[in-house]
Amino acid sequence: MKSGYHTNSTRSLHLYASRSVTVSSVIRDTVIVNISVYRFEYKPKKVKTEHDKKAKKRKHEYTDGSKWRFLEHKGPVFAPPYEPLPDKVRFYYDGKPMKLSAPAEEVATFFAKMLDHEYTTKDIFRKNFYKDWRKEMTSEEKSKITDLNKCNFSDMNEYFKAQSEARKQMSKEEKLKIKEENERLLQEYGFCIMDNHKERIGNFRIEPPGLFRGRGDHPKMGMLKRRIRPEDIIINCSKDSKHPKPPPGTKWKEVRHDNKVTWLASWTENIQGSIKYIMLNPSSRIKGEKDWQKYETARRLKKCVDRIRAQYRDDWKSKEMRIRQRAVALYFIDKLALRAGNEKEEGETADTVGCCSLRVEHIKLYPKLDDQEYVVEFDFLGKDSIRYYNKIPVEKRVFKNLQLFLENKQPEDDLFDRLNTSILNKHLQELMDGLTAKVFRTYNASITLQQQLKELSCSDDSIPAKVLSYNRANRAVAILCNHQRAPPKTFEKSMQNLQTKIDEKQNQLSAARKQLKAAKADHKASHDDKSKKIEEQLMKLQVQATDREENKQIALGTSKLNYLDPRISVAWCKKWAVPIEKIYNKTQREKFAWAIDMAEKDYEF
DNA sequence: AAACTGACTTGGAATAAACCCT
DNA sequence: AGGGTTTATTCCAAGTCAGTTT
């Protein structure tokens, strides 16, 4: 059943539930099973004829682009209505208490809650907030409140702090009650039925109103994110399902039955005018299948990457400027794992770039730097305004090309003026079916993990040491992909605490050894075991300290979740007898259930 | 061919829950 | 038991990319 799963990929990409837990409901002769664990299989399982029929159907659907044939859900959960502040909680304008109308008060509380955050000190944030706040004010309020600097929200701020403190101090029973209520909501709204399965929904709660928190220098930070009502919601479900009911006295914007998409509900958000969706959890069939497909595409790239590399190197010499630019950009995407870099509407978002949208001001060329030749220095803000800074030596030809691209340009001009992501991706599509810029990131991330694991793993290592090796391999990928984080606020302290523990353990160890020496005469072997145990604990602590230190500014989560073929990790665990729990927590195991089930110790990406 | 739209993946921070020590 | 710390989960913004419209 399990052998040879990874050997490949030409066969159908279908998931079948192979383990059902309990039968929970029956709809139109279709058995719905509770939370299923999916497996990828080559062939439809020979269990029942009914099953076979469905498998065939599903295969058919796959080719016509439909994503499901039955979809039933209860619709989203709305944000709780606004609760006005108690009268004792005051807002002050120009030093005098002032009672606000409910709409103005609500928006004021959004700001008050953020008083301790850096956002509220930023000019753009304040300006945007103030502008949108005024729209909620009554005309009296509007004429009275004319300067945000004269507004004092601190009483409100204290109130919310006290509230959250009170929540922490709640009795066990009260906490349990809340937990149970959340669980009830989850059970009622947190699942849907897609085809034959009950599936977990990723985000069944509608985003509550609040102030928009853009990242980096976002021109719209502080704007009011309005409250979403049933009238804003488009429901998507199958015609023959029980349609979700809107809250009493309200209507949905629309109910549609589009099985070419995977979402259950959507609404248009008012800051950028983009659409937000309610979709399934990563553990679902529809997400897992897509994920698997992504890694299979990356593995196909592995087979032809040499050819593609040879090609773009050749294109560095092209007579056509557009070809040279395309080839150099692709080289960066491949070598540095840069993102594609779509154009963005100026003034609507933070000024960030990817490969194709790099500007002259983002690179510096050094014919010679220290002991290296042809060095390119990158310095730009990427996705989420995370800084990318890197100095790399490149081939002479690339360097010369870059000099050419820079000729007669201003700092704010595009480096690749004859290229965009659309052109690049069309070219990539011709090189390999399904190839786009981001496949290189997936490919390079996964292949790096595999190669690093091979290099770092050592059979003599203890389990904690092996896990450290795994994390280091993961770290190599995170560094490649520039996944950074702000060092945790308590980082230094946490390191100190760990060091204290290590010191203590060291003392324990020497004490135990002394004891052993003294006891030697009495032939007490038990003391030897004792020091061994302490040694082990000490080693574990030291490994932990190393791991934490190395991870100070690196975020491992994103690469683990989105770039690393989970079958590599699963295979590694099997090969080195490391329990999978050491690598993946519960959520991650659910997301990667297909891989855990599929990969053997000899899996190769 | 440029601009726009829609659907989906990817991203770090914030928050909640679990854990660990006294 | 409680409080501080660590880990897991939730949140929602910000990308990619294909298809459609202008």
Side-chain angles (χ1 to χ4, degrees):
Chain A
M1 171 101 176
K2 285 186 172 184
S3 64
Y5 272 112
H6 59 271
T7 53
N8 195 357
S9 72
T10 46
R11 299 190 217 186
S12 69
L13 280 166
H14 296 294
L15 278 165
Y16 298 89
S18 59
R19 176 152 46 98
S20 47
V21 186
T22 50
V23 174
S24 67
S25 64
V26 174
I27 291 185
R28 286 177 227 295
D29 305 328
T30 306
V31 179
I32 309 300
V33 296
N34 240 338
I35 316 305
S36 321
V37 171
Y38 290 108
R39 297 180 177 191
F40 295 90
E41 294 182 5
Y42 284 145
K43 292 174 238 167
K45 248 183 127 182
K46 295 277 185 260
V47 187
K48 297 169 193 165
T49 27
E50 189 199 11
H51 214 103
D52 275 356
K53 256 190 250 165
K54 274 171 204 147
K56 264 182 202 152
K57 246 191 187 165
R58 195 175 290 162
K59 190 168 189 175
H60 172 69
E61 285 169 1
Y62 215 83
T63 53
D64 80 350
S66 60
K67 309 286 169 69
W68 47 263
R69 45 179 209 299
F70 183 79
L71 174 59
E72 182 171 281
H73 59 93
K74 291 290 207 65
V77 172
F78 289 91
Y82 178 64
E83 277 183 42
L85 293 172
D87 286 337
K88 62 170 176 42
V89 183
R90 303 282 189 75
F91 162 75
Y92 297 87
Y93 186 73
D94 209 7
K96 292 186 267 298
M98 176 175 173
K99 177 76 187 164
L100 296 170
S101 66
E105 186 188 87
E106 179 178 13
V107 177
T109 64
F110 299 152
F111 193 87
K113 282 176 183 168
M114 290 178 74
L115 233 45
D116 294 328
H117 204 288
E118 204 201 335
Y119 272 122
T120 57
T121 66
K122 294 187 177 179
D123 264 5
I124 301 176
F125 189 94
R126 296 173 69 87
K127 196 179 119 284
N128 286 334
F129 159 73
Y130 183 61
K131 188 173 166 216
D132 281 359
W133 186 29
R134 286 188 69 79
K135 293 179 197 158
E136 304 298 319
M137 293 178 190
T138 63
S139 46
E140 296 105 282
E141 284 166 343
K142 252 188 237 169
S143 57
K144 211 164 179 186
I145 300 171
T146 56
D147 182 359
L148 181 57
N149 295 314
K150 292 183 180 166
C151 295
N152 181 349
F153 302 95
S154 55
D155 200 20
M156 293 161 81
N157 178 261
E158 310 265 302
Y159 171 71
F160 291 119
K161 273 193 215 154
Q163 290 270 296
S164 76
E165 200 48 45
R167 225 167 307 136
K168 274 187 222 156
Q169 298 303 324
M170 278 186 311
S171 70
K172 246 183 183 167
E173 297 75 40
E174 288 171 305
K175 281 183 181 166
L176 188 69
K177 217 175 147 194
I178 290 173
K179 205 174 170 183
E180 277 170 354
E181 171 61 12
N182 280 335
E183 183 60 25
R184 193 188 64 75
L185 226 56
L186 173 67
Q187 288 307 323
E188 179 161 10
Y189 294 97
F191 295 85
C192 74
I193 292 160
M194 186 173 273
D195 293 346
N196 306 316
H197 298 284
K198 186 172 169 183
E199 301 269 32
R200 182 83 189 268
I201 298 170
N203 55 327
F204 59 90
R205 286 167 204 274
I206 301 269
E207 293 172 20
L211 304 183
F212 176 73
R213 296 154 94 116
R215 323 259 167 85
D217 277 331
H218 197 117
K220 299 192 171 184
M221 65 168 71
M223 282 175 64
L224 175 64
K225 237 173 63 155
R226 63 170 235 285
R227 180 178 290 272
I228 305 302
R229 309 149 304 155
E231 290 75 13
D232 301 313
I233 301 287
I234 301 173
I235 295 289
N236 193 33
C237 63
S238 54
K239 238 177 230 163
D240 61 347
S241 74
K242 242 170 83 186
H243 295 14
K245 280 202 289 287
T250 68
K251 280 195 244 169
W252 302 122
K253 181 179 184 183
E254 183 191 335
V255 177
R256 66 170 74 154
H257 313 291
D258 182 358
N259 74 349
K260 299 284 196 287
V261 297
T262 67
W263 53 267
L264 318 188
S266 72
W267 72 92
T268 302
E269 139 296 316
N270 67 302
I271 304 290
Q272 324 267 0
S274 65
I275 308 171
K276 300 252 181 167
Y277 302 94
I278 289 191
M279 290 189 188
L280 297 192
N281 186 276
S283 64
S284 62
R285 181 211 109 224
I286 204 130
K287 295 284 185 193
E289 218 169 67
K290 200 74 186 302
D291 211 31
W292 183 41
Q293 215 178 81
K294 175 180 77 187
Y295 292 113
E296 288 308 306
T297 305
R299 292 174 83 201
R300 281 192 290 117
L301 173 57
K302 184 189 178 192
K303 287 186 199 156
C304 62
V305 73
D306 289 343
R307 188 193 92 220
I308 289 170
R309 284 172 176 161
Q311 152 112 244
Y312 69 62
R313 295 174 63 89
D314 210 43
D315 286 346
W316 294 340
K317 299 178 278 186
S318 171
K319 285 184 286 291
E320 288 185 77
M321 183 63 114
R322 57 174 195 101
I323 307 280
R324 287 198 188 198
Q325 291 195 355
R326 198 179 68 190
V328 170
L330 185 50
Y331 169 72
F332 286 161
I333 284 169
D334 184 20
K335 188 183 175 76
L336 304 174
L338 300 191
R339 296 185 187 83
N342 285 306
E343 317 68 318
K344 303 168 70 187
E345 212 174 334
E346 213 175 320
E348 294 292 299
T349 59
D351 178 19
T352 63
V353 297
C355 186
C356 294
S357 50
L358 279 169
R359 297 192 297 262
V360 170
E361 60 196 312
H362 296 132
I363 64 164
K364 264 193 203 148
L365 302 181
Y366 300 96
K368 255 202 162 104
L369 188 67
D370 304 327
D371 53 344
Q372 293 177 315
E373 285 189 309
Y374 309 122
V375 174
V376 185
E377 183 185 58
F378 292 84
D379 193 352
F380 62 89
L381 297 182
K383 182 176 178 181
D384 293 317
S385 294
I386 301 285
R387 185 181 181 203
Y388 184 93
Y389 181 81
N390 201 0
K391 272 191 263 190
I392 57 146
V394 300
E395 320 230 358
K396 183 175 177 184
R397 248 198 196 105
V398 171
F399 196 85
K400 295 287 171 193
N401 271 315
L402 288 169
Q403 287 178 322
L404 186 65
F405 304 160
L406 292 179
E407 270 175 26
N408 303 315
K409 281 188 191 166
Q410 299 299 309
E412 62 276 15
D413 290 341
D414 285 340
L415 172 63
F416 302 115
D417 52 300
R418 307 288 176 87
L419 184 72
N420 61 39
T421 55
S422 177
I423 295 170
L424 180 66
N425 279 333
K426 268 183 196 125
H427 171 63
L428 293 176
Q429 188 59 238
E430 283 166 14
L431 296 180
M432 187 195 101
D433 180 42
L435 188 61
T436 63
K438 87 185 183 81
V439 178
F440 282 88
R441 246 167 108 81
T442 312
Y443 162 72
N444 280 310
S446 286
I447 201 76
T448 300
L449 178 76
Q450 184 169 75
Q451 172 252 323
Q452 285 290 302
L453 284 176
K454 216 169 260 175
E455 218 161 278
L456 298 174
S457 302
C458 174
S459 55
D460 297 337
D461 280 349
S462 63
I463 299 268
K466 281 178 179 149
V467 172
L468 176 63
S469 297
Y470 179 89
N471 287 342
R472 281 178 161 163
N474 193 162
R475 207 131 49 224
V477 175
I479 288 166
L480 175 71
C481 294
N482 199 40
H483 292 143
Q484 301 187 35
R485 62 166 180 178
K489 281 179 227 77
T490 54
F491 185 84
E492 295 307 328
K493 198 166 155 223
S494 142
M495 280 315 288
Q496 267 174 21
N497 289 348
L498 204 48
Q499 192 54 51
T500 310
K501 276 189 184 173
I502 289 172
D503 294 346
E504 274 169 21
K505 201 53 84 177
Q506 243 149 8
N507 291 339
Q508 264 184 46
L509 183 60
S510 42
R513 279 182 176 150
K514 235 178 237 164
Q515 219 177 359
L516 173 64
K517 234 180 195 174
K520 266 256 162 82
D522 317 344
H523 305 283
K524 275 189 188 161
S526 65
H527 287 282
D528 193 21
D529 290 347
K530 191 175 163 193
S531 3
K532 218 171 210 165
K533 201 168 150 205
I534 296 172
E535 258 174 64
E536 223 168 79
Q537 290 168 334
L538 176 62
M539 189 272 298
K540 208 170 153 180
L541 285 171
Q542 283 167 333
V543 160
Q544 208 185 340
T546 309
D547 206 9
R548 190 173 299 179
E549 186 67 53
E550 291 178 0
N551 221 33
K552 182 174 181 182
Q553 305 193 65
I554 313 288
L556 298 186
T558 297
S559 51
K560 199 179 216 176
L561 244 43
N562 301 299
Y563 288 104
L564 302 176
D565 182 344
R567 291 168 295 183
I568 299 168
S569 302
V570 171
W572 179 86
C573 282
K574 287 191 174 161
K575 178 165 180 188
W576 301 103
V578 176
I580 194 79
E581 295 78 15
K582 302 273 180 196
I583 301 300
Y584 291 142
N585 66 32
K586 181 168 145 283
T587 314
Q588 294 164 341
R589 292 198 298 276
E590 279 166 11
K591 166 165 178 167
F592 297 133
W594 59 271
I596 292 170
D597 200 58
M598 182 189 285
E600 279 303 324
K601 69 174 196 303
D602 58 340
Y603 173 80
E604 226 190 291
F605 174 75

